[in-house]
């Protein structure tokens, strides 16, 4: 069965004559992997279309029916930047250059009729839409905790099911129930995403009035160490676990053994240590909070930390045998205080100083809420993996599949058809083998960053400012000096030495523990929206193209 993807030409009328720019900006950060047949059949990119569309419709701006904001190219997801750039320009007055800097990527800017879109009659309409979005953000932030709690509880209940013991009928019901991952949270995530973007940009604009050229660095400093950002907190908790392990005789022996074997931790470590809670008991608690997460966690084929905590234990091992020795909280506090003092000395009792303080709090809260929503959405992947693994095991026992992991190369409709008895699965094994070959071919490809209509564009080359100086997009301001360590995947993170500058193709929340060992971060992709770096006080540059090949 070979199919060709049809790309819709529906778009906003003013840009219908322009070529469609497809870019992997942002998706290369969070979904750099090839999407398998099962992931695609679950409608993950349809969820992406809903997310982007809701960002526009929430402000009262109309999106043409049938407009596709996302697509696959050689198995990887891409965004329709022609439509997105125009929609943001026309709805709220964001210039294409501003959007490109926010998202990162190497897509060109579309032409726009007016470089000052917030002036005049149309500008007032765009300002009004911004106000509607702000009201949506405030209302959503108020009710977000209740929504988060309900979705988390639903994920917990699903994770507790003993899927291998369910009947075929119960597995089928669970398969229908699971639906599209995180679909419950799409409207809230869209609104909170806009809030997470909007408040830091407002903060930066007001700082620019008084500190031209320093607005990015000051925004960075004011947001450093913001509390409640879950994608940062699990890194700090791992540092605490390393301290606990040093005071636990059995744990210290386990981590410093010459034949350190991470996956034997439950067999070799006791639950109590000389009458006190042991390292193991603390680590079990950590997994209850964060075990649903993982490296490149949006890939449903990847194990969750609760299934395979090797990466976490290797980080703790590295911290014990070669500690960083930095008090991150104190470093961040000092950085925040220096920024506040600079603003206080410049502005005194001017109202702008208090507006800056207000916007800083809203910016931190917005980013924290956005990261929490994402974590809760990822919680839905944990029971999904358990379900599909159980189905895969059953289909292997029936002789329909060759191995359990083959289930990820099946379509959702194929699995439901087998479980409801309408198909005996004959021929599926052959289909899966063909799909696996295509999947492996796509994995070996170096995907283009930009596709215009159907034509992949040549890769951008790293820009030399002068001599040996390379240029990227500033994600988090600061300076760092040190040896460079190229890490292509977090599983090799144990090679990163304290104080080295981490160079990576892309990062997601699963990488964040490594940020606590690095003195700086350089990535091939990434825009200024990657604000979680700011909570680590880590100087960061994104979109430094081909840096991993220098």
């Amino acid at each position: 069965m070979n199919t060709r993807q049809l790309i819709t030409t529906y778009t906003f009328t003013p840009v219908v004559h322009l070529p469609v720019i497809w870019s992997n900006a942002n998706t290369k950060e969070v979904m750099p992997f090839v999407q398998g047949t099962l992931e695609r059949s679950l409608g993950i990119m349809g969820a992406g279309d809903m997310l982007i569309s809701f960002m526009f419709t929430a402000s009262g701006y109309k999106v043409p029916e049938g407009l596709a904001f996302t697509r696959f190219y050689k198995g990887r997801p891409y965004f329709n930047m022609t439509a997105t750039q125009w929609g943001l320009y026309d709805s709220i007055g964001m210039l294409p250059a501003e959007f490109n800097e926010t998202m990162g990527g190497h897509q060109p800017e579309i032409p726009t009729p007016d470089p000052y879109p917030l002036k005049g009659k149309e500008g007032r309409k765009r300002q009004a839409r911004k106000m509607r979005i702000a009201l949506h953000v405030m209302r959503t932030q108020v009710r977000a905790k209740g929504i988060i709690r309900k979705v988390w509880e639903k994920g917990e209940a699903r994770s507790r099911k003993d899927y291998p013991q369910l009947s075929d009928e119960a597995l089928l019901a669970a398969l229908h129930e699971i639906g599209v991952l995180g679909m419950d949270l799409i409207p809230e995530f869209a609104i909170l995403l806009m809030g997470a973007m909007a408040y830091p940009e407002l903060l930066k604009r007001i700082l620019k009035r008084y500190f031209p050229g320093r607005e990015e660095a000051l925004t960075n400093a004011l947001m450093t160490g913001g509390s409640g950002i879950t994608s940062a907190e699990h890194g700090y908790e791992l540092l605490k676990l390393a301290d606990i392990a040093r005071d636990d005789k059995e744990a210290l022996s386990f981590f410093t053994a010459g034949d350190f074997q991470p996956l034997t931790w439950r067999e070799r470590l006791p639950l109590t240590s000389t009458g006190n809670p042991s390292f193991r008991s603390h680590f079990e608690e950590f997994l209850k909070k964060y075990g649903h997460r993982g490296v490149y966690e949006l890939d449903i084929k990847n194990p969750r930390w609760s299934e395979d905590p090797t990466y976490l234990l290797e980080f703790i091992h590295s911290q014990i045998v070669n500690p960083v020795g930095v008090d991150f909280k104190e470093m961040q506090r000092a950085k925040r205080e220096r920024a506040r003092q600079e603003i206080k000395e410049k502005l005194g009792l001017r109202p702008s100083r208090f507006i800056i303080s207000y916007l800083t709090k809203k910016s931190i809260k917005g980013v924290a809420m956005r990261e929490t929503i994402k974590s809760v959405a990822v919680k839905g992947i944990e029971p999904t993996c358990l379900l599909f693994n159980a189905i895969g095991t059953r289909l292997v026992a029936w002789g329909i599949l060759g191995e359990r992991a083959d289930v990820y190369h099946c379509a959702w409709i194929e699995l439901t058809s087998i479980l409801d008895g309408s198909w005996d699965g004959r021929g599926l094994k052959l289909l899966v083998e063909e799909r696996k070959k295509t999947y492996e071919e796509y994995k070996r490809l170096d995907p283009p960053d930009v596709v215009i209509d159907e034509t992949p564009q040549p890769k951008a080359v790293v820009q030399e400012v002068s001599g040996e100086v390379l240029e990227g997009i500033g994600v988090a301001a600061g300076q760092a000096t040190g040896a460079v360590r190229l890490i292509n995947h977090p599983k090799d993170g144990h090679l990163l030495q304290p104080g080295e500058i981490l160079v990576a193709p892309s990062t997601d929340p699963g990488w964040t523990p490594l940020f606590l060992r690095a003195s700086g971060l350089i990535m091939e992709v990434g825009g200024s929206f990657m604000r979680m770096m700011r909570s680590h006080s880590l100087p960061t540059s994104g979109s430094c193209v081909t840096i991993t090949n220098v």
Side-chain angles (χ1 to χ4, degrees):
M1 293 175 63
N2 293 317
T3 59
R4 182 179 182 276
Q5 185 177 9
L6 297 177
I7 307 301
T8 180
T9 56
Y10 297 122
T11 190
F12 296 105
T13 301
V15 293
V16 72
H17 64 289
L18 295 178
V20 181
I21 302 167
W22 299 98
S23 172
N24 62 7
N26 190 254
T27 65
K28 196 173 177 180
E29 295 173 33
V30 297
M31 290 189 290
F33 44 86
V34 174
Q35 300 275 310
T37 301
L38 184 53
E39 291 157 315
R40 294 177 64 169
S41 70
L42 284 171
I44 291 174
M45 294 309 284
D49 276 333
M50 288 179 60
L51 177 69
I52 299 172
S53 294
F54 193 81
M55 290 173 64
F56 291 117
T57 58
S59 69
Y61 188 74
K62 188 174 181 181
V63 175
E65 189 174 347
L67 170 55
F69 285 102
T70 59
R71 69 165 290 186
F72 286 102
Y73 183 83
K74 303 293 187 182
R76 289 181 170 88
Y78 285 73
F79 282 130
N80 182 340
M81 289 298 182
T82 301
T84 307
Q85 286 184 18
W86 175 261
L88 288 170
Y89 169 84
D90 197 37
S91 64
I92 60 172
M94 176 179 273
L95 293 169
E98 294 176 311
F99 176 68
N100 283 356
E101 182 180 346
T102 298
M103 295 296 286
H106 310 291
Q107 62 278 355
E109 300 165 22
I110 64 168
T112 53
D114 186 353
Y116 304 102
L118 295 178
K119 292 185 177 180
K121 182 179 178 181
E122 289 302 313
R124 288 191 291 275
K125 290 181 182 178
R126 290 166 182 146
Q127 294 279 21
R129 292 191 192 102
K130 281 189 170 186
M131 288 301 298
R132 288 194 198 102
I133 291 171
L135 290 172
H136 266 297
V137 169
M138 286 188 285
R139 285 196 295 264
T140 303
Q141 285 182 341
V142 169
R143 51 194 283 268
K145 288 185 178 179
I147 297 167
I148 287 168
R149 185 180 63 255
K150 288 180 182 177
V151 175
W152 182 272
E153 289 172 353
K154 183 187 288 187
E156 283 276 90
R158 287 175 172 174
S159 294
R160 285 194 295 268
K161 288 184 179 180
D162 189 358
Y163 290 103
Q165 301 302 317
L166 295 181
S167 66
D168 298 344
E169 292 77 13
L171 280 180
L172 179 63
L175 195 55
H176 280 291
E177 180 188 28
I178 214 78
V180 176
L181 308 179
M183 188 68 80
D184 298 346
L185 289 174
I186 284 177
E188 285 72 24
F189 188 73
I191 291 296
L192 294 173
L193 181 63
M194 288 187 286
M197 292 171 66
Y199 285 116
E201 290 306 316
L202 288 172
L203 176 60
K204 207 159 53 169
R205 284 185 189 181
I206 197 168
L207 285 169
K208 189 174 182 178
R209 294 182 200 168
Y210 303 100
F211 305 92
R214 294 263 300 135
E215 66 274 7
E216 185 69 43
L218 285 171
T219 301
N220 175 0
L222 291 170
M223 292 179 65
T224 289
S227 61
I229 300 177
T230 182
S231 52
E233 291 299 323
H234 61 235
Y236 299 133
E237 291 200 26
L238 287 172
L239 291 180
K240 292 178 184 177
L241 283 168
D243 291 336
I244 291 169
R246 288 192 193 94
D247 295 331
D248 180 331
K249 184 179 177 181
E250 289 88 352
L252 185 60
S253 175
F254 169 73
F255 281 108
T256 56
D259 62 338
F260 174 59
Q261 299 175 34
L263 291 182
T264 64
W265 67 281
R266 277 202 170 100
E267 294 80 43
R268 297 181 59 182
L269 294 175
L271 280 170
T272 58
S273 177
T274 60
N276 298 314
S278 65
F279 166 82
R280 178 182 161 183
S281 65
H282 285 283
F283 191 61
E284 296 274 15
E285 287 300 315
F286 177 93
L287 291 178
K288 286 181 183 178
K289 288 174 65 176
Y290 303 111
H292 63 289
R293 310 210 73 163
V295 175
Y296 292 124
E297 59 196 5
L298 294 184
D299 187 347
I300 63 174
K301 299 181 295 299
N302 282 345
R304 307 296 103 183
W305 285 339
S306 57
E307 297 175 75
D308 183 358
T310 299
Y311 169 61
L312 305 174
L313 293 165
E314 285 185 340
F315 175 85
I316 294 169
H317 171 261
S318 297
Q319 182 62 14
I320 289 173
V321 301
N322 194 3
V324 175
V326 174
D327 186 338
F328 287 96
K329 294 294 185 181
E330 175 57 29
M331 182 176 67
Q332 292 163 353
R333 187 202 62 78
K335 187 173 183 178
R336 286 195 306 272
E337 286 306 312
R338 286 194 298 271
R340 289 170 181 165
Q341 188 62 31
E342 183 178 350
I343 292 167
K344 180 180 178 181
E345 290 175 1
K346 177 85 172 183
L347 300 182
L349 295 177
R350 293 185 200 178
S352 295
R353 178 182 155 203
F354 302 101
I355 294 172
I356 288 170
S357 177
Y358 171 79
L359 289 175
T360 298
K361 292 176 183 176
K362 296 296 287 185
S363 295
I364 293 170
K365 182 178 180 180
V367 173
M369 192 66 75
R370 182 255 188 192
E371 289 298 299
T372 300
I373 285 278
K374 183 180 177 183
S375 173
V376 174
V378 169
K379 180 70 176 175
I381 298 179
E382 185 178 38
T384 301
C385 294
L386 296 172
L387 170 62
F388 289 134
N389 287 340
I391 294 173
T393 299
R394 194 159 300 185
L395 296 189
V396 170
W398 292 347
I400 294 174
L401 295 179
E403 57 185 20
R404 188 181 76 174
D406 287 349
V407 72
Y408 294 103
H409 296 283
C410 300
W412 184 86
I413 189 63
E414 292 166 348
L415 299 178
T416 57
S417 297
I418 292 169
L419 289 173
D420 69 15
S422 60
W423 182 36
D424 63 5
R426 189 175 304 171
L428 182 58
K429 191 180 292 187
L430 182 61
L431 278 176
V432 164
E433 289 306 311
E434 290 299 313
R435 289 167 181 168
K436 286 164 72 173
K437 288 178 185 176
T438 302
Y439 179 80
E440 291 301 321
E441 287 173 9
Y442 285 167
K443 278 178 66 176
R444 289 191 293 269
L445 292 177
D446 184 16
D449 293 323
V450 176
V451 177
I452 296 183
D453 288 334
E454 293 298 301
T455 305
Q457 302 300 296
K459 286 241 181 187
V461 296
V462 69
Q463 301 177 46
E464 289 195 12
V465 179
S466 62
E468 297 181 351
V469 178
L470 306 179
E471 184 179 68
I473 291 177
V475 175
Q479 295 181 343
T481 303
V484 168
R485 178 72 64 176
L486 171 62
I487 303 290
N488 284 307
H489 194 280
K491 65 181 174 58
D492 299 319
H494 61 280
L495 300 174
L496 182 69
Q497 302 301 305
E500 290 183 335
I501 294 174
L502 171 61
V503 173
S506 64
T507 61
D508 79 338
W511 285 74
T512 54
L514 300 185
F515 301 162
L516 300 175
R517 294 182 66 78
S519 61
L521 173 63
I522 306 173
M523 299 172 293
E524 281 195 338
V525 297
S528 60
F529 183 57
M530 292 185 64
R531 304 194 192 283
M532 66 181 175
M533 308 305 172
R534 290 177 174 161
S535 66
H536 291 85
S537 190
L538 185 69
T540 302
S541 178
S543 290
C544 197
V545 294
T546 67
I547 186 65
T548 57
N549 297 322
V550 173

